[in-house]
Amino acid sequence: QQHAEYPSGSSCICTAFAETLQELTGNDGTGAFPVSGSIGERSSKSEPGATPANNIDFVYTEWSQVQHDCGMSRLYGGMHFSKAIPAGEELCTGVASLVVKRAELLKLGDTAGALADLDDTSITVKTRMK
């Protein structure tokens, strides 16, 4: 399927996801539950019986690791060129903070959290947690 190459929408979403978890937990660590998974040898849906040549196991203990690999997977998969990945990250950096703040308003019963204000310039680029 054809899609826009620049910026990477996937790296944008990966950034918003990781920053949301950082915002909600107050740190970059995944806590007591690392994000992990396995991809079985020769289990590819596009090249069944051929790839991957070996089992692939992964474990993430930081949301920034998830974000990085999630975004870079689009480069490794040939969907994007290298400049599209950081451009997508920059596009969505700071969105999580706004979403969490709006959700907190809704949790408190304040309906202002439900509506987007197109004149709201409160989305700002923040420093990544380390």
Side-chain angles (χ1 to χ4, degrees):
Q1 292 182 5
Q2 293 183 351
H3 68 283
E5 188 282 318
Y6 184 93
S8 167
S10 294
S11 69
C12 177
I13 292 167
C14 299
T15 298
F17 171 81
E19 288 186 359
T20 298
L21 276 293
Q22 290 168 341
E23 187 85 21
L24 291 172
T25 63
N27 63 65
D28 191 31
T30 62
F33 304 101
V35 176
S36 63
S38 296
I39 301 169
E41 176 181 351
R42 305 190 193 302
S43 66
S44 170
K45 291 182 181 179
S46 61
E47 296 178 298
T51 59
N54 300 302
N55 289 334
I56 299 172
D57 298 314
F58 54 91
V59 177
Y60 297 104
T61 59
E62 295 178 340
W63 297 117
S64 57
Q65 293 171 325
V66 174
Q67 176 208 348
H68 177 266
D69 285 359
C70 178
M72 292 301 290
S73 70
R74 308 305 284 177
L75 176 67
Y76 302 150
M79 281 66 97
H80 294 287
F81 293 106
S82 59
K83 292 186 179 189
I85 307 307
E89 292 171 349
E90 183 179 344
L91 181 64
C92 280
T93 294
V95 170
S97 178
L98 178 62
V99 169
V100 170
K101 286 177 187 172
R102 297 275 179 156
E104 288 170 350
L105 288 173
L106 288 174
K107 185 177 175 183
L108 295 172
D110 186 341
T111 57
L115 303 174
D117 178 356
L118 298 179
D119 295 321
D120 184 354
T121 59
S122 65
I123 298 176
T124 57
V125 175
K126 71 175 188 72
T127 304
R128 294 181 191 269
M129 294 183 167
K130 291 288 177 181

